[in-house]
Amino acid sequence: MPLTGKNILIGVTGGISIYKTLDVISALNKLGANVKVMMTESAAEFVSPMTFEAMSKNPVYTSLFDKKNAWRIPHISLSKEADLIAIIPATANIIGKIAGGIADDIVSTTVVAATSPVMIAPAMNTNMYHNPVTQRNIETLKSLGYLFITPTSGVLACGDIGDGKLASVEAIVEAIKGQLLYPEKDLLGKKILVTAGPTQEAIDPVRYITNHSSGKMGYAIAKAALLRGAEVTLVSGPVNLTVPSGAEVINITSAKEMYDAVMENAENADIIIKAAAVADYRPENIAENKIKKGGELSIPLSQNPDIVKSLGEKFGGEKVLVGFCMETEDLIENASKKLKSKNLDFIVANSLNEEGAGFKGDTNIVTIIDKSGNKTDIPLSQKEDIANKILDRIK
Ligand SMILES: Cc1cc2nc3c(=O)[nH]c(=O)nc-3n(C[C@H](O)[C@H](O)[C@H](O)COP(=O)(O)O)c2cc1C
């Protein structure tokens, strides 16, 4: 599990979105992390410490003055053993206290004593969030190296609509994971364009030609690149996946739409990774009405524009171009041919014939081939791990 051996200390403060912190703790536990919780007195008014104790499977700290374990000095021992401290949710009050150097409860005092990175996930009424004092405190903390998980916009618990909604559980977990696994942000400043998923080529208003691509490989690459600090644009065919938090997503349906979206955004990218399974052909004409049953039917096809080839012609040698190649026979030979003919820097070859590889699952088996013909074999691994190995190779 990716977070095995990591000690995460969650500081919980008195905001209405506190219930979501329980889901964050559960997700971090599932990733293998050891999670401890400290709560302010106000937080304990919202949810009982017992609930956090049961979720984190660790004692919960609610007071600076824990008489039973006074010899441990909780705020010092907690801060020392944490690989990361995350305040979820963070009230306007705790943000103000940290910015002012105040240490008068277990959470604020532990943060003052911290030597590990501190992440702050604010959540509050939109007027409280936009209050210039709150904004000044956030800017002060950012300038001192505190990391913020930006709240989203939406309907708030008080009924107001606006900024200040706690970031999604998934976004918070991804941010924590990214900080723990890639603290150095080795792709910071890089702009990466990723394509993912299948395309759908309409036959008539109700039918289309497509393939089995789930989009999981492309989405895993987008997620991994974001965690490593890259700016990611994801051009996605129709898939059933959660959008990676922080990515700019352009949803398309057909190969022609994907071609347009990629060409429009390629100029701005440093690295282009084409993990989408684009249909090579589309019906020559789209029937205006649903085609009726009866008699023989043949559907003439036209070739779709070759996105990878166009990218190679226009940007080969200028940007890092990575293609994918899925084959059912002569995998390495066909992949090497595609690498050369399309002027790519890397091709990631995967075979449909191997168990655990291919479109639908969470795992894959791939070979990365570079321009000089060097091959890197990646055995059966999670798509997330393969994504990082591809990014390592590009780097
Ligand atoms: C029902 C209710 C909901 C609240 N929700 C929030 C909130 O979402 N964000 C916030 O900053 N303060 C919120 N407050 C105010 C804080 O609880 C208050 O400022 C408290 O002093 C924060 O203490 P703490 O930062 O020590 O936890 C809420 C108060 C109440 C009564």
Side-chain angles (χ1 to χ4, degrees), residues 13-17 40 42-43 46 90-94 97 105 123-125 128:
T13 63
I16 200 77
S17 54
T40 60
S42 307
F46 289 80
T91 56
N93 180 52
I94 194 74
K97 281 206 226 176
D105 61 42
M124 64 198 73
N125 165 274
M128 291 172 81

Side-chain angles (χ1 to χ4, degrees), residues 160-350:
D160 286 358
I161 299 174
D163 299 332
K165 198 177 165 75
L166 184 71
S168 71
V169 170
E170 204 195 39
I172 294 173
V173 172
E174 286 300 321
I176 291 175
K177 207 168 124 191
Q179 182 56 37
L180 283 168
L181 298 181
Y182 296 100
E184 279 167 27
K185 305 281 170 234
D186 59 352
L187 296 176
L188 200 67
K190 295 286 172 225
K191 292 183 176 145
I192 307 189
L193 176 63
V194 183
T195 70
T199 61
Q200 291 175 354
E201 310 301 322
I203 297 170
D204 67 14
V206 292
R207 304 177 180 98
Y208 53 80
I209 298 172
T210 191
N211 57 60
H212 292 298
S213 170
S214 64
K216 285 181 180 174
M217 193 64 246
Y219 273 59
I221 293 171
K223 248 188 192 178
L226 284 160
L227 290 180
R228 293 169 70 158
E231 222 175 278
V232 174
T233 303
L234 176 62
V235 180
S236 174
V239 295
N240 246 332
L241 300 171
T242 311
V243 168
S245 152
E248 188 200 334
V249 182
I250 303 168
N251 290 307
I252 57 86
T253 305
S254 68
K256 272 174 114 181
E257 286 170 11
M258 182 165 279
Y259 180 89
D260 292 341
V262 170
M263 287 307 169
E264 214 175 293
N265 288 278
E267 196 75 57
N268 200 29
D270 305 304
I271 301 162
I272 303 171
I273 306 175
K274 289 276 304 122
V278 183
D280 291 329
Y281 292 92
R282 66 177 183 279
E284 210 166 272
N285 300 301
I286 304 172
E288 207 175 308
N289 295 303
K290 186 182 167 201
I291 298 170
K292 295 272 178 270
K293 200 188 320 190
E296 286 209 349
L297 175 71
S298 64
I299 302 169
L301 300 175
S302 304
Q303 210 163 327
N304 274 324
D306 188 330
I307 306 175
V308 180
K309 190 159 180 247
S310 302
L311 287 171
E313 281 165 6
K314 198 156 180 217
F315 299 110
E318 182 194 325
K319 298 175 188 294
V320 180
L321 300 179
V322 184
F324 270 70
C325 181
M326 155 86 64
E327 296 286 344
T328 53
E329 53 192 355
D330 304 325
L331 175 67
I332 300 299
E333 199 185 318
N334 285 327
S336 303
K337 261 190 217 155
K338 186 170 170 184
L339 173 82
K340 281 213 175 78
S341 68
K342 313 235 162 154
N343 200 15
L344 303 175
D345 296 285
F346 297 98
I347 193 139
V348 183
N350 52 160

Side-chain angles (χ1 to χ4, degrees), residues 348-361:
V348 183
N350 52 160
S351 164
L352 256 193
N353 298 340
E354 289 184 86
E355 182 123 352
F359 279 138
K360 284 186 182 161

